[in-house]
Amino acid sequence: MNTNYFPILKAKDAEFDALGKASANVTNNMVPMFEVPKFNPELKKYKDNPYAKATFLSELSKKISILRSGMYTMFDTYHWQNPGEKVETGEHHLSYLYNALKSDGVNAVPVVGYDRWDDIEYRLALKSISKSHTGVFCVRLDRFAFDDVRDPDHFHSRLSEIVNFLELDPSNCHVTLDLEDVSSLAIVDIFEKFDSLFSQINIYGFSSYSIAGCSLPNSIDKVIKDKDSCGSILRGEMLLWKNARKHYPTFNIHFGDYGVRGPNSGESGYGNTNAKIRYTIDDHYFIVRGHVIRKPQGGFQHCGLAQTVLNSGYYLPGFSWGDNEIKRCANGDIGGGSTTWIKIDTNHHIEYVVAEINEFERTIINAVQTEK
């Protein structure tokens, strides 16, 4: 996979729309891991459908194929009901989605979840996939792996079992080191967590790695205390990646994050959601926080927030579709609820991050050439 950005994104319409508005340079330089949302059987569209779960996954596959046909795309059912869940046909949900993506023309990359390995149905589904899959596999090491590495013998036994049971060739495997929510961790602790795990797995000969994490907490009021105010928070995951690239220059270590909403974010609709804009800048998020979105003003509260972004000194005119939407909002042409702003913020974010990664890689290359 000759790319450099490996974000973990929710497989939802806001993220799909943001990717659909991205430039070709961005989509060609990223391999997203789509996290499949929980299936909701109570939705009206599925209530009388005898194949509701299968329909849900098929619809999701179609949406992904519109964006990623012929392109490497990771998928994971991390939030699915349970690891062994099957669709109505009796097929494991993971196998069903894999086959749907392949049928829809996506270069699907199966993800092995370290955390779910104990489930026998999950293991057998991945074994079935591995027998016919000839491309790249991804091993996702999450908080359970970071905990288990304190007992190296147990950790290596489990990781070796995954590799051997699935008959994986490490040289054809990508590994995601998923630190998940790092919003409450000091930078030195983030670095230490990564080093403790990476030092144990770099002997396996895996082809590439990506670091994933999110410095945005599940609620903006945890970092921007006052309503109708703004501030910046450090993107610890970006600092970690830059540090790792410098300290492990011989390994293919790539950057990943959770876009603009973290692993534990559940925002949707209006409800008690605060208006906010998350604007990605160098090593930080610039956050503009409003107050609860309520009618009659509704989403047009964002117009004032958008003007704050324009006046901040960070705004990049014409940089991305998302930036253009921010300007339109500041002019009063659009408002929008939380879903709209996830789309706008995500689009600016992925465009900015790809440029940020490319610029940092250029500095590394220049530094090496200068030393020679």
Side-chain angles (χ1 to χ4, degrees):
M1 295 186 287
N2 188 26
T3 49
N4 56 21
Y5 182 34
F6 291 75
I8 299 174
L9 301 174
K10 296 183 188 302
K12 293 188 174 183
D13 287 345
E15 280 77 5
F16 292 153
D17 290 344
L19 286 173
K21 299 291 186 180
S23 64
N25 174 62
V26 167
T27 55
N28 291 333
N29 273 277
M30 67 187 298
V31 177
M33 180 189 294
F34 286 120
E35 286 197 323
V36 178
K38 292 180 180 179
F39 170 68
N40 183 3
E42 298 304 314
L43 290 177
K44 185 178 180 180
K45 62 186 293 189
Y46 299 125
K47 277 208 168 182
D48 297 320
N49 187 336
Y51 299 100
K53 282 183 283 189
T55 300
F56 168 73
L57 293 175
S58 293
E59 291 173 344
L60 204 60
S61 176
K62 293 291 184 185
K63 291 179 179 180
I64 293 173
S65 71
I66 292 172
L67 299 168
R68 304 290 301 175
S69 179
M71 306 171 76
Y72 284 113
T73 304
M74 299 185 285
F75 64 98
D76 196 7
T77 54
Y78 191 75
H79 298 290
W80 197 252
Q81 277 76 348
N82 68 68
E85 189 85 12
K86 296 181 179 180
V87 299
E88 294 82 3
T89 60
E91 187 175 2
H92 189 274
H93 69 275
L94 203 62
S95 300
Y96 185 92
L97 181 55
Y98 171 78
N99 289 326
L101 289 167
K102 296 286 285 185
S103 177
D104 288 333
V106 178
N107 198 342
V109 178
V111 175
V112 185
Y114 180 93
D115 62 308
R116 285 151 283 170
W117 187 248
D118 290 333
D119 188 285
I120 183 63
E121 297 288 352
Y122 182 76
R123 291 204 302 269
L124 292 175
L126 286 167
K127 180 71 170 179
S128 174
I129 291 172
S130 69
K131 287 181 178 179
S132 61
H133 183 72
T134 57
V136 179
F137 247 88
C138 173
V139 178
R140 184 178 185 178
L141 303 177
D142 67 348
R143 64 182 180 276
F144 292 96
F146 283 96
D147 288 341
D148 283 356
V149 81
R150 298 170 187 168
D151 181 353
D153 290 340
H154 169 70
F155 171 76
H156 286 295
S157 174
R158 188 176 177 89
L159 183 56
S160 296
E161 182 183 352
I162 291 172
V163 172
N164 294 332
F165 183 79
L166 298 178
E167 300 181 54
L168 301 179
D169 177 0
S171 67
N172 200 33
C173 283
H174 177 82
V175 177
T176 296
L177 292 91
D178 183 9
L179 284 86
E180 301 177 72
D181 186 343
V182 297
S183 61
S184 62
L185 295 178
I187 294 300
V188 64
D189 294 331
I190 296 174
F191 287 6
E192 288 178 358
K193 279 177 69 71
F194 169 78
D195 286 335
S196 67
L197 185 55
F198 189 71
S199 64
Q200 294 294 323
I201 65 172
N202 59 29
I203 59 173
Y204 283 79
F206 294 118
S207 65
S208 59
Y209 308 84
S210 59
I211 297 168
C214 185
S215 296
L216 286 170
N218 58 4
S219 179
I220 289 298
D221 60 11
K222 293 181 179 179
V223 288
I224 306 297
K225 184 175 68 68
D226 298 324
K227 297 177 181 178
D228 303 311
S229 63
C230 60
S232 297
I233 61 172
L234 198 62
R235 290 158 55 214
E237 58 276 9
M238 177 55 79
L239 295 186
L240 169 60
W241 172 71
K242 290 178 177 179
N243 182 70
R245 283 290 290 117
K246 291 178 179 178
H247 282 81
Y248 301 98
T250 60
F251 292 92
N252 294 319
I253 302 176
H254 304 288
F255 178 68
D257 58 19
Y258 277 82
V260 301
R261 55 173 168 173
N264 302 316
S265 172
E267 61 187 286
S268 62
Y270 286 92
N272 292 317
T273 302
N274 282 297
K276 55 186 169 290
I277 298 177
R278 294 148 290 198
Y279 194 75
T280 305
I281 60 177
D282 281 352
D283 296 335
H284 293 76
Y285 291 104
F286 176 61
I287 310 293
V288 186
R289 178 189 173 188
H291 47 271
V292 174
I293 302 175
R294 290 207 173 98
K295 296 179 179 180
Q297 186 183 19
F300 279 93
Q301 178 193 157
H302 283 94
C303 297
L305 307 187
Q307 189 61 54
T308 299
V309 174
L310 263 64
N311 297 338
S312 67
Y314 299 124
Y315 178 67
L316 300 173
F319 177 73
S320 67
W321 172 85
D323 285 276
N324 292 337
E325 291 298 283
I326 291 172
K327 185 174 183 179
R328 287 183 63 216
C329 184
N331 292 337
D333 296 332
I334 61 170
S338 61
T339 300
T340 296
W341 284 93
I342 291 168
K343 175 170 59 176
I344 294 171
D345 294 351
T346 299
N347 178 263
H348 166 81
H349 176 83
I350 61 177
E351 295 274 1
Y352 192 92
V353 167
V354 168
E356 190 176 17
I357 292 169
N358 289 338
E359 178 59 29
F360 186 77
E361 291 289 356
R362 278 193 290 271
T363 64
I364 290 179
I365 293 171
N366 291 338
V368 171
Q369 291 176 342
T370 300
E371 289 177 0
K372 291 181 179 179

